[in-house]
Amino acid sequence: MCGIVGYWGPVGPKKVIIDGLRRLEYRGYDSTGVAIFNQKTLQVLRSPGKLAALEERLKGIEFSGPSGIGHTRWATHGVPNERNAHPHKVGPIAIVHNGIIENYAEIREMLIRRGDKINSDTDSELIAHLLNDELKSSKGLLEATVKLIPKLKGAYSILVINENEPDTLVAFKSGTPMVVGLGEKEVIIASDVQAIIEHTKRVIYLDDGEIVCTQKNSAKFYDIHGKPLDKKPVTLNWSTQMAEKQGFDHFMQKEIFEQPRALRQTLEPHVTLNPYSVNVKDLGLSESEIKDISRIQLIACGTSWHAALVSKYVFERLTKIPTDVDIASEFRYRDPILDKKTLVIAVSQSGETADTLAGLRLCKQQGLKTLAICNVPHSSIDRESHGHFYTQAGPEIGVASTKAFTAQILSLHLLALHFGRIRGSLNADQISSYTQDLIKVPSQVEVCLNHDKWFKEAAEDLAKYKGFLYLGRGICFPVALEGALKLKEITYLHAEGYPSGELKHGPIALVEPTMAIIAMCPQDDLYEKNVSNIEEVRARGGPIISIGTENDHTLEKLSLHFLSIPKAGWLTNPLLSAIPIQLLSYHLAVALGRDVDQPRNLAKSVTVE
Ligand code: AGP
């Protein structure tokens, strides 16, 4: 999950590349580096640590050349230090790489055997050695790259530059993302559009097995055999300020508070008010295909898997379609039994998660219909699915996913209502009632956000606990899992999510005054059962932080902290309960001085296995 930026143009590569790397730093940030032309020399500077350390080293250095490449690294091979940082230069070649070269051990052995000096522990450097070899018998960088590719195995993307071709950049994509920005007088190649949108909104996404070769500000595309391809640009509808913090302390905080807008934008195109109903547009699935679905199989990772788990309860109750949910990294290796009438739904904020993409491809190979729930249009998972439903959350920069999570849940709710209407499993009154519930959600989320100061007080009180147990039942059980994940990934404290009904099967042994219990307990059909679980915990000295329906004084009396959400329907409770669990984790992480937007060891998009 590294950040890659390449540039050719009149503005000068140093500024564009550093600005671009800053926008991509959330993708990976354990070391950084650039290779930029200075007169006729390709100058390489690298640094361990964050981009600020590299900027310090670049201070006062002016580069005269027209082009350069840069990289922010998330280490897969070799510890994060200067010699393992990218770019790697061998002869006139410099390269930046994202992904994993699976046959790197045999390549390394061959190079050492023939006497090459290997300077790093990375698989990336080996690519530079092989490319340098190919260049010696090629007319230029493009031909050398075409000859290199068959020698490499794995999911990876590379961007390469040659000291003898200052006006040329060549990139190849296989698995991890690569996008080309076509400016008036410049060209930018990057691993994410965030590094491109302030320069141009005209972009071309490389598909797997494709090569781009830019000469000055023109770009030509080829397949892995060097055969020219005709690719059309798309125009992005994101603005740069959408990707800025806009006065918040962290991207994560901004994105939590953007949820009313994100949910409104996700909802509005697909609901009608007279009568209240749902009609999902541009899904890519016909009514007859929807009627023909015999089973739904969702695949996702992390927070997206939690959103998919919520949808299992909703699809089965609203559409009566049997629904399975798998963690993608398990699904792709368990030889799943799939039939042609199964609809596969891949849920992914980035649309680039390697395991989810691999699970999708496995289903496509077996002829199944696939649907992507993505936040990034034209991402790999989006492009490779038959149909799609875009969450309209806007760019999500914080590594901990928040607005994408609630937008995914809402999107899946809308799909279930759409399917229920078409398949006749819901009557007009039920559709009207559920639709009205969803239309209220953005303003109900605003009410939750207005309680932020109470959530902050509760969060700061949590710092003294040694562990956290999140409990929930039914449609709110996945929200308990999500709460535990949010806490783990940004506070580095241990937390677990459990179905409340499982307490007596083991976890209740954990209950003691130093173990905080965070209980989802909205006034729904499982309320009484949740309250009795809470009383079991209290009887054993467990401190309760409850998330419940406003004015629930019974629950309030049982709780050390009572975090209230507006009175809502069954469909809505998981959406509203997400807000306090997000803010609890956010404020606790801030209180602990954690790096909230770029938590250690993590990256925003897991584009390698
Ligand atoms: C969630 O906060 C994490 N950043 C992570 O679990 C993430 O949800 C997971 O990697 C899936 O990412 P995706 O939605 O982009 O596929």
Side-chain angles (χ1 to χ4, degrees):
M1 298 67 71
C2 305
I4 288 178
V5 181
Y7 177 77
W8 183 97
V11 170
K14 175 181 170 181
K15 177 171 178 356
V16 174
I17 290 172
I18 292 299
D19 288 351
L21 291 180
R22 186 174 299 109
R23 290 190 190 288
L24 299 184
E25 201 172 14
Y26 68 94
R27 292 178 64 85
Y29 30 83
D30 54 40
S31 57
T32 59
V34 294
I36 301 177
F37 271 93
N38 215 347
Q39 306 294 341
K40 293 196 179 318
T41 308
L42 196 53
Q43 196 170 347
V44 178
L45 283 106
R46 304 178 296 179
S47 172
K50 293 201 162 181
L51 183 60
L54 179 69
E55 287 186 275
E56 204 47 47
R57 301 197 61 180
L58 289 168
K59 254 187 190 142
I61 301 178
E62 288 311 316
F63 296 90
S64 61
S67 63
I69 60 177
H71 188 266
T72 56
R73 182 169 180 246
W74 186 84
T76 55
H77 295 77
V79 297
N81 57 24
E82 180 170 345
R83 71 190 188 91
N84 287 333
H86 302 208
H88 291 281
K89 188 164 184 293
V90 176
I93 294 288
I95 178 171
V96 288
H97 161 231
N98 180 19
I100 289 180
I101 302 301
E102 291 178 359
N103 59 329
Y104 91 99
E106 61 194 81
I107 295 172
R108 185 182 177 87
E109 195 188 315
M110 179 276 287
L111 292 172
I112 290 171
R113 214 178 27 250
R114 77 174 194 193
D116 276 41
K117 188 174 177 317
I118 310 292
N119 299 309
S120 76
D121 310 321
T122 68
D123 52 349
S124 312
E125 181 197 350
L126 310 182
I127 304 171
H129 284 274
L130 294 182
L131 188 55
N132 187 40
D133 286 351
E134 298 304 342
L135 190 64
K136 290 170 186 161
S137 59
S138 303
K139 286 195 289 300
L141 198 51
L142 173 62
E143 184 186 339
T145 304
V146 172
K147 288 152 81 173
L148 163 76
I149 290 162
K151 295 184 164 65
L152 302 176
K153 293 194 187 78
Y156 68 94
S157 292
I158 53 173
L159 173 59
V160 297
I161 195 166
N162 173 11
E163 204 158 38
N164 304 318
E165 300 175 77
D167 293 328
T168 300
L169 293 168
V170 174
F172 169 71
K173 180 217 190 278
S174 168
T176 57
M178 194 69 89
V179 195
V180 184
L182 304 170
E184 285 303 308
K185 300 190 182 65
E186 58 196 1
V187 71
I188 301 142
I189 301 176
S191 49
D192 197 323
V193 290
Q194 309 289 351
I196 295 174
I197 45 177
E198 66 179 296
H199 302 281
T200 178
K201 294 195 174 89
R202 279 182 77 236
V203 300
I204 292 181
Y205 286 80
L206 286 183
D207 287 310
D208 280 357
E210 294 183 346
I211 300 167
V212 61
C213 177
T214 63
Q215 298 277 354
K216 297 193 174 177
N217 66 332
S218 73
K220 290 199 170 89
F221 298 84
Y222 306 85
D223 68 13
I224 48 172
H225 307 296
K227 183 167 154 297
L229 297 172
D230 179 22
K231 288 183 76 72
K232 297 276 181 284
V234 294
T235 303
L236 296 168
N237 64 359
W238 284 357
S239 59
T240 38
Q241 64 271 17
M242 284 167 82
E244 293 302 333
K245 287 184 198 165
Q246 289 169 358
F248 288 93
D249 295 334
H250 300 96
F251 279 113
M252 182 181 178
Q253 186 188 31
K254 168 175 166 275
E255 288 149 12
I256 289 171
F257 280 83
E258 279 181 334
Q259 289 178 103
R261 177 187 59 72
L263 294 167
R264 197 169 287 120
Q265 287 180 183
T266 300
L267 183 79
E268 273 167 355
H270 308 292
V271 293
T272 58
L273 307 180
N274 182 22
Y276 287 110
S277 185
V278 170
N279 179 26
V280 173
K281 304 206 176 32
D282 307 327
L283 189 58
L285 282 179
S286 67
E287 293 210 355
S288 63
E289 284 170 325
I290 289 170
K291 285 176 181 161
D292 207 27
I293 297 168
S294 64
R295 192 166 73 83
I296 294 172
Q297 171 68 58
L298 292 111
I299 53 176
C301 300
T303 288
S304 299
W305 175 61
H306 299 150
L309 282 174
V310 169
S311 77
K312 174 181 174 68
Y313 296 86
V314 179
F315 277 121
E316 294 199 336
R317 185 173 289 191
L318 268 53
T319 71
K320 309 302 177 209
I321 303 173
T323 300
D324 292 309
V325 184
D326 274 72
I327 288 176
S329 55
E330 288 298 306
F331 177 80
R332 63 184 289 198
Y333 294 116
R334 70 169 175 81
D335 296 330
I337 308 298
L338 302 166
D339 72 56
K340 292 270 192 295
K341 291 189 167 187
T342 295
L343 172 67
V344 178
I345 302 178
V347 184
S348 175
Q349 188 286 129
S350 64
E352 299 298 347
T353 298
D355 286 317
T356 309
L357 182 57
L360 177 78
R361 288 172 174 167
L362 173 70
C363 297
K364 276 182 73 179
Q365 281 156 14
Q366 301 197 25
L368 277 68
K369 273 271 178 293
T370 56
L371 192 59
I373 308 271
C374 271
N375 195 41
V376 180
H378 316 297
S379 57
S380 302
I381 289 170
D382 175 30
R383 294 201 312 277
E384 298 193 24
S385 297
H386 296 100
H388 48 233
F389 185 110
Y390 296 130
T391 49
Q392 300 295 338
E396 187 176 72
I397 307 299
V399 166
S401 184
T402 50
K403 61 180 182 174
F405 174 60
T406 50
Q408 288 166 344
I409 293 174
L410 180 61
S411 304
L412 289 158
H413 283 3
L414 289 166
L415 272 186
L417 285 168
H418 182 70
F419 288 5
R421 177 177 59 80
I422 289 165
R423 294 169 62 100
S425 57
L426 292 172
N427 62 40
D429 288 346
Q430 288 170 313
I431 291 169
S432 172
S433 169
Y434 282 129
T435 304
Q436 291 178 69
D437 283 350
L438 295 187
I439 288 169
K440 291 175 199 159
V441 166
S443 49
Q444 289 175 317
V445 166
E446 257 159 347
V447 170
C448 296
L449 292 169
N450 290 338
H451 297 162
D452 181 38
K453 68 178 184 313
W454 291 307
F455 299 160
K456 183 170 184 293
E457 281 164 20
E460 286 160 356
D461 186 35
L462 292 182
K464 62 188 178 228
Y465 294 106
K466 71 164 197 176
F468 302 83
L469 192 54
Y470 285 74
L471 301 175
R473 274 181 189 264
I475 197 170
C476 284
F477 159 52
V479 182
L481 295 176
E482 173 62 7
L485 175 63
K486 285 279 100 42
L487 196 92
K488 276 182 278 204
E489 65 178 327
I490 62 173
T491 70
Y492 314 152
L493 297 174
H494 184 68
E496 279 188 82
Y498 252 93
S500 312
E502 274 293 288
L503 257 183
K504 289 192 277 292
H505 300 282
I508 201 162
L510 288 171
V511 173
E512 57 175 42
T514 61
M515 172 67 74
I517 309 295
I518 294 140
M520 314 287 133
C521 187
Q523 285 177 342
D524 61 10
D525 52 339
L526 298 167
Y527 173 76
E528 283 72 25
K529 298 199 183 309
N530 275 324
V531 169
S532 60
N533 290 137
I534 288 170
E535 281 167 339
E536 286 161 13
V537 168
R538 277 185 94 252
R540 290 162 178 81
I544 302 289
I545 294 89
S546 60
I547 292 162
T549 306
E550 59 195 358
N551 308 319
D552 182 344
H553 302 304
T554 305
L555 184 60
E556 194 168 3
K557 286 197 192 79
L558 296 172
S559 308
L560 193 62
H561 296 280
F562 170 67
L563 311 179
S564 76
I565 61 174
K567 183 150 188 57
W570 176 73
L571 269 187
T572 313
N573 282 325
L575 287 158
L576 304 185
S577 305
I579 307 308
I581 60 148
Q582 291 168 352
L583 286 168
L584 271 182
S585 302
Y586 171 74
H587 287 305
L588 182 50
V590 171
L592 294 170
R594 303 294 193 235
D595 192 339
V596 171
D597 284 331
Q598 299 174 0
R600 69 184 182 195
N601 306 341
L602 291 174
K604 180 63 182 171
S605 177
V606 183
T607 56
V608 293
E609 277 199 62

